[in-house]
């Protein structure tokens, strides 16, 4: 056995040479840069970023990097171990002084670095968003850090599943399904769950009988306010506040909620991060189930009815942040996948799955 990080470094170097030595990798990176350039130009024109600031451009580019990273990473990591096993090169590596843990961790780091190359390629466009202004240092640091961690989680899941499943194609597909479950499945679960779990809301109304007022809208003779009979209506309201936790596991919500720190003086978010985070935190608020509208009392007092509402920043500050919960779940998911891969790949193997190739 050789030093852990020395052996891990050997696996990382070997894996990276296999991944990036082909022309296809550079073509893929070039297409990514072109697409992100196109997105940056269109966003600048659509949001009038030269005048309004670069918050929208910066946050959208970060989301674009996360989107493409999670689309490419499963293909690059989902066959890391079983691909070598199928080609007969895994057993050759296992008979050296490199341990199973070094192989698994090395392949994960190599897959993560490959995904981070997309983030590195987007740096000029992120700098462009900063030059436009309106983005704080905390938003920059947190969004890039959390995005990098999310890409590492996807790489860990891909490498982990490639060590657990025998067929490379199957492990790549399952990795895509895991990414889809986190990115889209959580949104579907939130929407359907909130609609399925409903509560009965009651609205009690006591309205003024406007037909009995004089031409000036006053009570004739200064008597009591003429009121219509009290009406009580009930209806069903969805309870998104009971299922908002599904959104906490969404990687885009995690990035947005962690990075949403920029608001205008009027309490409006400056970027896409803020709007998403405010929407998620507003979903935590339970609906008002017992509402009383007494227009007679308001008319009697002579004061106009108040319609004060919270600003987005007040909603943001009053709710509970969820990004660290979602990030913790993702990290545990990735760590569990790597541990499972280590358990299924370690040698000597007590039992091999049917169809496993040794060398």
């Amino acid at each position: 056995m050789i030093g852990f990080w020395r052996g891990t470094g050997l696996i990382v170097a070997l894996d990276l040479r296999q991944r990036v030595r082909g022309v296809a990798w550079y073509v893929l990176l070039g297409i990514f840069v072109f697409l992100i350039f196109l997105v940056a130009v269109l966003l600048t024109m659509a949001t009038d970023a030269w005048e309004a600031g670069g918050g929208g451009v910066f946050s959208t580019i970060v989301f674009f990097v996360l989107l493409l990273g999670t689309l490419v990473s499963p293909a690059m990591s989902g066959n890391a171990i079983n691909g070598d096993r199928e080609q007969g090169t895994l057993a050759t590596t296992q008979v050296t002084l490199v341990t199973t843990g070094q192989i698994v961790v090395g392949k994960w780091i190599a897959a993560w670095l490959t995904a981070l190359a997309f983030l590195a390629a987007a740096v000029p466009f992120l700098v462009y968003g900063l030059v436009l202004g309106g983005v704080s240092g905390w938003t920059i640091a947190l969004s890039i850090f959390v995005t990098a961690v999310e890409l590492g989680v996807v790489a860990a899941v891909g490498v982990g599943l490639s060590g657990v499943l025998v067929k490379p194609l199957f492990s790549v597909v399952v990795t895509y399904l895991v990414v889809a479950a986190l990115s889209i499945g959580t949104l579907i679960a939130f929407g359907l769950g909130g609609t399925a779990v409903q509560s009965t809301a009651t609205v009690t109304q006591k309205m003024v009988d406007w037909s009995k007022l004089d031409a000036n809208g006053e009570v004739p003779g200064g008597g009591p306010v003429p009121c219509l009979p009290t009406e009580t209506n009930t209806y069903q309201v969805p309870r998104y506040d009971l299922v908002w936790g599904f959104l906490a596991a969404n990687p885009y919500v995690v990035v947005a909620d962690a990075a949403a720190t920029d608001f205008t003086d009027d309490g409006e978010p400056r970027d896409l991060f803020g709007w998403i985070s405010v929407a998620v935190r507003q979903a935590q608020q339970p609906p008002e189930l017992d509402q009383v509208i007494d227009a007679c009392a308001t008319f009697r007092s002579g004061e106009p009815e108040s319609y004060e509402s919270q600003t987005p920043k007040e909603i943001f500050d009053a709710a509970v942040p969820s990004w660290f919960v979602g990030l913790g779940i993702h990290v545990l998911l990735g760590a569990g996948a790597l541990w499972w891969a280590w358990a299924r790949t370690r040698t000597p193997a007590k039992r091999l799955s049917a169809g496993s190739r040794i060398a």
Side-chain angles (χ1 to χ4, degrees), residues 6 21 35 54 80 118 145-146 177-178 181 243 248-249 266 299 304 343 345:
R6 184 185 172 196
R21 68 183 178 184
L35 289 176
F118 291 92
F145 172 74
V146 177
L177 290 177
V178 172
V243 296
D266 297 329
F299 187 88
T345 311

Side-chain angles (χ1 to χ4, degrees), residues 192-260:
L192 294 180
T195 306
V197 182
Q198 297 190 355
S199 297
T200 301
T202 302
V203 178
T204 303
Q205 294 180 321
K206 191 174 182 180
M207 309 303 292
V208 177
D209 188 354
W210 299 99
S211 64
K212 295 182 179 179
L213 300 180
D214 58 22
N216 297 323
E218 301 291 340
V219 179
V225 178
C227 299
L228 295 171
T230 302
E231 292 184 2
T232 301
N233 298 312
T234 60
Y235 60 94
Q236 298 295 311
V237 293
R239 295 300 304 270
Y240 294 109
D241 59 303
L242 300 179
V243 296
W244 71 270
F246 284 115
L247 297 178
N250 187 291
Y252 297 91
V253 172
V254 169
V255 173
D257 199 39

Side-chain angles (χ1 to χ4, degrees), residues 8-354:
T8 303
L10 291 174
I11 297 297
V12 171
L14 182 63
D15 223 55
L16 283 178
R17 288 193 188 96
Q18 293 176 342
R19 292 177 189 277
V20 303
R21 68 183 178 184
V23 179
W25 164 250
Y26 296 99
V27 172
L28 182 64
L29 208 58
I31 294 174
F32 168 76
V33 171
F34 173 74
L35 289 176
I36 207 167
F37 167 76
L38 200 61
V39 169
V41 171
L42 294 177
L43 279 173
T44 303
M45 297 170 62
T47 62
D48 194 17
W50 287 109
E51 298 293 335
V57 176
F58 178 85
S59 54
T60 305
I61 289 176
V62 171
F63 275 148
F64 197 68
V65 172
L66 180 60
L67 172 64
L68 292 185
T70 53
L71 288 177
V72 173
S73 187
M76 305 295 289
S77 62
N79 61 351
I81 295 177
N82 53 16
D84 285 359
R85 182 183 287 123
E86 195 171 72
Q87 295 172 4
T89 57
L90 180 63
T92 306
T93 307
Q94 288 177 310
V95 298
T96 65
L97 295 178
V98 178
T99 66
T100 302
Q102 291 168 330
I103 293 174
V104 173
V105 174
K107 287 185 174 296
W108 167 56
I109 293 176
W112 191 6
L113 291 175
T114 304
L116 288 178
F118 291 92
L119 187 59
V123 166
F125 303 97
L126 296 176
V127 172
Y128 168 70
L130 300 181
V131 171
L132 294 174
V135 186
S136 70
W138 272 112
T139 297
I140 298 167
L142 288 174
S143 61
I144 292 178
F145 172 74
V146 177
T147 300
V149 174
E150 290 291 342
L151 294 177
V153 168
V154 175
V157 171
V159 172
L161 290 175
S162 73
V164 174
L165 302 175
V166 176
K167 298 296 182 183
L169 179 60
F170 190 49
S171 58
V172 170
V173 171
V174 174
T175 306
Y176 273 116
L177 290 177
V178 172
V179 173
L182 294 175
S183 303
I184 302 175
T186 51
L187 299 178
I188 295 175
F190 170 73
L192 294 180
T195 306
V197 182
Q198 297 190 355
S199 297
T200 301
T202 302
V203 178
T204 303
Q205 294 180 321
K206 191 174 182 180
M207 309 303 292
V208 177
D209 188 354
W210 299 99
S211 64
K212 295 182 179 179
L213 300 180
D214 58 22
N216 297 323
E218 301 291 340
V219 179
V225 178
C227 299
L228 295 171
T230 302
E231 292 184 2
T232 301
N233 298 312
T234 60
Y235 60 94
Q236 298 295 311
V237 293
R239 295 300 304 270
Y240 294 109
D241 59 303
L242 300 179
V243 296
W244 71 270
F246 284 115
L247 297 178
N250 187 291
Y252 297 91
V253 172
V254 169
V255 173
D257 199 39
T261 56
D262 293 336
F263 291 86
T264 65
D265 295 336
D266 297 329
E268 299 286 332
R270 292 182 183 274
D271 50 38
L272 189 57
F273 296 146
W275 285 113
I276 293 177
S277 182
V278 168
V280 173
R281 298 195 184 196
Q282 193 169 23
Q284 299 177 20
Q285 297 182 353
E288 190 173 357
L289 298 180
D290 293 308
Q291 190 175 2
V292 178
I293 302 175
D294 192 348
C296 290
T298 304
F299 187 88
R300 191 179 298 116
S301 65
E303 297 180 358
E305 195 167 350
S306 176
Y307 293 101
E308 291 184 0
S309 60
Q310 291 180 300
T311 66
K313 189 174 189 311
E314 289 173 338
I315 295 173
F316 178 86
D317 292 337
V320 179
S322 62
W323 65 270
F324 56 88
V325 177
L327 192 62
I329 293 173
H330 294 169
V331 171
L332 289 177
L333 177 64
L338 291 178
W339 176 84
W340 198 3
W342 170 81
R344 292 293 299 270
T345 311
R346 63 183 175 181
T347 53
K350 296 180 181 178
R351 183 179 179 183
L352 291 175
S353 304

